[in-house]
Amino acid sequence: MTNEMETVERLTLENDTLRKRVAELEETVRQRDRVTQTIIDHVPALIFVMDLEDTYSHTSQSCAAFMGRQEVSEIVGHNAREFFPPEVFASWRENNRLVAAKGEAIVAEESGPGEDGVQVYRSIKFPIRDSEGTIRWIGGIASNVTAERRAEERLRESQARAQAMLDASTDLLLLVDLEGVVVMANQAAAGRLGCSPAEAVGMRDVFPLDEPARRASLVEEVRRTGTPARFDAARDERWFEVTAYPVRGGDGLPARLAIFGRDVTEQRRAAQEQRRLQEQVIEAQRLAIQEIGTPLVPLTDEAVAIPLIGAIDEVRAAHFLETMLRGVDARGAHIVVVDVTGVSDVDAHVAEVLVRAARAAKLLGAEVIMTGIRPAVAQALVDLGADLGGVVTLASLQDGIAYAVRGKGRAPSPRRGVRA
């Protein structure tokens, strides 16, 4: 009997000790759960654990608030379909099934309702296994990235608008780094490169910076001066006026080059055409002036007069001889009155022209009457040794005309092609 009582007392003591140990362990677990819950409640991300049937076993306070509940206890033990629209629940549940099937974590963007519209979350979902290695739960950490995605969308829209504005320009617009790599290109520039604006990004040493030496020179110039650099470039028989603007980085130094190339082909062609037309006008004016400056004046059926005015260069000399000989031949003239009253200067060239005119007229059977030789001109002719033998000289054009009209000089002789 004594032994039995001792055994009962010993078992009772061991049982009390065991219950006390279990209570201590349970308290330790509760403390750990409180610590864990406190930690996850202070994390702004949504944290949750659910079984494979989509029932929550753990959630953070932020997750409860996201689902419109005050306490975590209002979420734990409930199924996710109770809190979300069917289409949202179906999308999230599909990702949970994917984690369970793959047995590894995934990262996905998931959408959910919010006070100011649809919210976007970057979710990390991962499997949780039991002691035997079997997947029993799905854990998740979801961070709200709505602001970032909206900012990115605004940035994309802004870039799209900027790209559309740039593409509307017929000028070549490029943004390149200092190594000549394209960062941005508009449609006009990409078209010259034979690609799309997106395909142009990353290309190196492209028109109008396709010459590395030119690019290096531009980089050095904008670094040194900090001001735009300008140059001309040509491609496929097109001409461009190019300006390279420095784009500064955070340190205030040029980090990129903004290239603006304007196609000036039509303007240059128009300018060339204008110059050609101007040259034609000038030539026509010159010829007209020559005609005016060397007129052939009929005096009688057999006499003509040619007054010379101004300086006589080689072109005017040739025109004078041609006019005189053509007039003599066409009119059958026997007397040519050459008036030099208006000749501004007499040099060896002018003297030679007068001598050649007299000889040429003589070969056609005509007599040359030279009028208006001033004393200074006469002295110049003597000093130059001009041979005017056979040339009748009179004081004035009036005297020459009177001489020609009276018919003085040698008697006319019949010539072929001469009119009566």
Side-chain angles (χ1 to χ4, degrees):
M1 186 69 177
T2 302
N3 292 336
E4 290 179 356
M5 292 180 60
E6 291 177 352
T7 300
V8 171
E9 290 177 356
R10 181 174 54 81
L11 291 175
T12 299
L13 181 60
E14 290 178 354
N15 190 38
D16 290 341
T17 302
L18 182 59
R19 283 198 298 270
K20 183 178 179 181
R21 178 59 179 163
V22 169
E24 291 174 350
L25 291 175
E26 288 177 345
E27 180 60 26
T28 299
V29 170
R30 283 193 295 272
Q31 288 180 357
R32 289 179 178 177
D33 286 344
R34 284 195 297 272
V35 170
T36 301
Q37 188 67 44
T38 301
I39 292 173
I40 66 175
D41 283 345
H42 286 80
V43 175
L46 310 182
I47 301 176
F48 58 88
V49 177
M50 60 175 55
D51 62 22
L52 300 185
E53 298 303 321
D54 307 308
T55 297
Y56 290 105
S57 60
H58 297 79
T59 67
S60 63
Q61 186 63 44
S62 59
C63 190
F66 169 70
M67 290 185 279
R69 300 298 186 269
Q70 295 292 328
E71 301 294 337
V72 170
S73 58
E74 300 179 65
I75 306 297
V76 173
H78 292 266
N79 195 280
R81 70 176 67 249
E82 300 176 30
F83 304 101
F84 302 104
E87 64 277 8
V88 174
F89 170 75
S91 173
W92 289 15
R93 189 172 189 273
E94 182 178 350
N95 286 333
N96 292 348
R97 295 295 179 267
L98 180 61
V99 171
K102 296 178 64 175
E104 59 184 35
I106 66 169
V107 178
E109 285 201 356
E110 299 177 323
S111 299
E115 294 182 358
D116 60 343
V118 176
Q119 303 292 298
V120 181
Y121 290 85
R122 183 177 184 272
S123 299
I124 303 174
K125 292 189 171 182
F126 48 90
I128 301 176
R129 304 175 188 271
D130 61 15
S131 59
E132 297 179 354
T134 302
I135 297 175
R136 297 293 186 184
W137 304 273
I138 302 297
I141 303 174
S143 301
N144 192 328
V145 294
T146 305
E148 290 87 341
R149 295 298 175 267
R150 289 176 179 174
E152 290 171 358
E153 181 62 25
R154 289 193 296 270
L155 178 59
R156 284 192 294 269
E157 291 176 354
S158 176
Q159 290 174 334
R161 288 193 297 269
Q163 187 69 46
M165 294 176 63
L166 295 177
D167 287 342
S169 174
T170 57
D171 293 341
L172 309 187
L173 305 176
L174 285 169
L175 183 64
V176 302
D177 64 21
L178 300 186
E179 299 301 320
V181 178
V182 177
V183 178
M184 183 280 297
N186 73 338
Q187 188 63 52
R192 286 291 166 191
L193 301 177
C195 62
S196 68
E199 292 170 337
V201 175
M203 297 177 67
R204 178 186 293 274
D205 292 332
V206 299
F207 179 81
L209 297 181
D210 45 2
E211 299 177 13
R214 169 179 285 170
R215 176 177 55 80
S217 176
L218 281 176
V219 170
E220 178 60 28
E221 183 175 350
V222 297
R223 276 178 172 168
R224 179 174 52 82
T225 66
T227 59
R230 294 175 174 82
F231 61 94
D232 292 337
R235 184 184 180 110
D236 301 329
E237 297 184 354
R238 309 291 296 184
W239 291 274
F240 298 85
E241 290 180 352
V242 182
T243 304
Y245 293 89
V247 179
R248 303 181 185 280
D251 57 2
L253 298 176
R256 293 176 176 176
L257 295 177
I259 308 299
F260 293 79
R262 173 156 296 178
D263 190 332
V264 294
T265 304
E266 301 308 322
Q267 294 93 315
R268 290 198 177 187
R269 288 176 178 172
Q272 290 175 349
E273 179 65 14
Q274 184 177 11
R275 285 195 296 270
R276 188 183 66 82
L277 293 175
Q278 287 177 338
E279 290 173 355
Q280 289 181 347
V281 170
I282 292 172
E283 178 63 16
Q285 291 174 341
R286 186 184 66 80
L287 294 176
I289 292 173
Q290 285 182 352
E291 292 292 340
I292 296 172
T294 315
L296 181 70
V297 181
L299 299 177
T300 67
D301 289 343
E302 297 181 350
V304 295
I306 303 178
L308 297 178
I309 300 173
I312 300 177
D313 56 17
E314 293 184 3
V315 176
R316 282 200 65 197
H319 184 71
F320 160 62
L321 289 174
E322 180 182 356
T323 300
M324 184 193 72
L325 296 177
R326 188 173 59 247
V328 169
D329 183 63
R331 301 188 61 83
H334 290 282
I335 298 177
V336 179
V337 179
V338 178
D339 182 65
V340 296
T341 303
V343 175
S344 58
D345 191 17
V346 176
D347 55 14
H349 170 70
V350 175
E352 181 183 359
V353 168
L354 297 177
V355 172
R356 287 169 56 195
R359 292 174 179 173
K362 186 175 181 181
L363 290 175
L364 292 180
E367 180 182 12
V368 174
I369 308 298
M370 193 169 298
T371 64
I373 300 179
R374 302 188 306 276
V377 174
Q379 185 62 49
L381 291 173
V382 171
D383 294 341
L384 293 170
D387 183 8
L388 297 179
V391 176
V392 177
T393 59
L394 298 174
S396 66
L397 176 59
Q398 182 179 359
D399 294 338
I401 292 173
Y403 182 93
V405 169
R406 288 197 305 269
K408 291 185 177 181
R410 76 180 169 80
S413 61
R415 290 190 295 113
R416 182 178 300 176
V418 176
R419 296 194 302 272

